[in-house]
Amino acid sequence: MKRLAIIAGVLSACLTAAIVYYLWPVQPIPTDAPVTHLIVYKSARRLAVMSDERELVRYPISLGRQPRGDKVCQGDNKTPEGSYVLDWSNPDSCCFRSFHVSYPDAGDLAAAAEQGCSPGGDIMIHGLSKRLGWIGRFHRWYDCTHGSCALTDAEMAQLWATVAEGTPIEILP
């Protein structure tokens, strides 16, 4: 009986921790300073929302299924690295809202041509798939995109309200 009580206690603690993790409030983006650019830190799986040199907020993200290294070819499931711009937005994308990253640039096109492949181009910053939005923060446990950066829907709503088309984005290894 003692062993069963210990197992029940551990399971209860794990379930409680999972519920708290899932329901923890989203850190809002302060409105006292304009968003000037975004920085993605791929190795840390973080998206930093910046106002000049000040970090306003940092959100955990999931990346492409093969996150190490720079994207070269369509279908390699890598997230590109480099300096880009959020060149357009889509309120009705397959996911909860999205910003398009201006990948590929001239360097990306040349690298893909050298490999004899297409570079692809549908790299986005987006919320979760409309049918999987209920997963919330648990999406971070698995790199689930084909090269985009995924946030929770609540985090994407924060970005949507404060980030404009034309905002620069730096994607670092």
Side-chain angles (χ1 to χ4, degrees), residues 36-98:
T36 57
H37 62 287
L38 304 177
I39 303 173
V40 171
Y41 300 94
K42 286 174 49 176
S43 61
R45 307 269 190 310
R46 298 280 187 256
L47 172 83
V49 179
M50 306 294 293
S51 181
D52 296 320
E53 299 302 314
R54 178 179 159 210
E55 184 176 290
L56 299 175
V57 69
R58 188 179 280 199
Y59 292 128
I61 57 173
S62 59
L63 299 169
R65 293 180 184 149
Q66 301 294 325
R68 290 195 178 140
D70 193 7
K71 181 169 196 62
V72 176
C73 297
Q74 182 174 357
D76 64 8
N77 290 318
K78 293 182 181 287
T79 302
E81 298 170 0
S83 297
Y84 302 98
V85 172
L86 301 179
D87 54 359
W88 52 269
S89 58
N90 184 356
D92 298 315
S93 76
C94 66
C95 298
F96 179 77
R97 301 180 182 152
S98 63

Side-chain angles (χ1 to χ4, degrees), residues 1-170:
M1 283 308 261
K2 186 175 180 181
R3 177 184 256 170
L4 188 59
I6 291 171
I7 291 172
V10 168
L11 289 176
S12 177
C14 289
L15 180 61
T16 300
I19 291 169
V20 169
Y21 175 75
Y22 184 82
L23 296 176
W24 198 263
V26 172
Q27 186 178 3
I29 299 172
T31 57
D32 64 337
V35 174
T36 57
H37 62 287
L38 304 177
I39 303 173
V40 171
Y41 300 94
K42 286 174 49 176
S43 61
R45 307 269 190 310
R46 298 280 187 256
L47 172 83
V49 179
M50 306 294 293
S51 181
D52 296 320
E53 299 302 314
R54 178 179 159 210
E55 184 176 290
L56 299 175
V57 69
R58 188 179 280 199
Y59 292 128
I61 57 173
S62 59
L63 299 169
R65 293 180 184 149
Q66 301 294 325
R68 290 195 178 140
D70 193 7
K71 181 169 196 62
V72 176
C73 297
Q74 182 174 357
D76 64 8
N77 290 318
K78 293 182 181 287
T79 302
E81 298 170 0
S83 297
Y84 302 98
V85 172
L86 301 179
D87 54 359
W88 52 269
S89 58
N90 184 356
D92 298 315
S93 76
C94 66
C95 298
F96 179 77
R97 301 180 182 152
S98 63
F99 287 108
H100 182 262
V101 176
S102 63
Y103 173 88
D105 62 17
D108 299 319
L109 291 168
E114 189 175 296
Q115 295 294 316
C117 63
S118 167
D122 286 333
I123 303 301
M124 307 282 194
I125 306 296
H126 60 73
L128 301 176
S129 170
K130 289 181 180 176
R131 67 184 195 287
L132 296 176
W134 61 271
I135 291 173
R137 290 187 167 123
F138 293 114
H139 82 93
R140 299 173 184 155
W141 294 4
Y142 175 68
D143 285 317
C144 58
T145 77
H146 295 289
S148 296
C149 300
L151 302 130
T152 67
D153 292 352
E155 293 160 346
M156 188 63 202
Q158 289 284 321
L159 276 184
W160 194 262
T162 57
V163 174
E165 289 179 13
T167 299
I169 181 168
E170 181 80 18

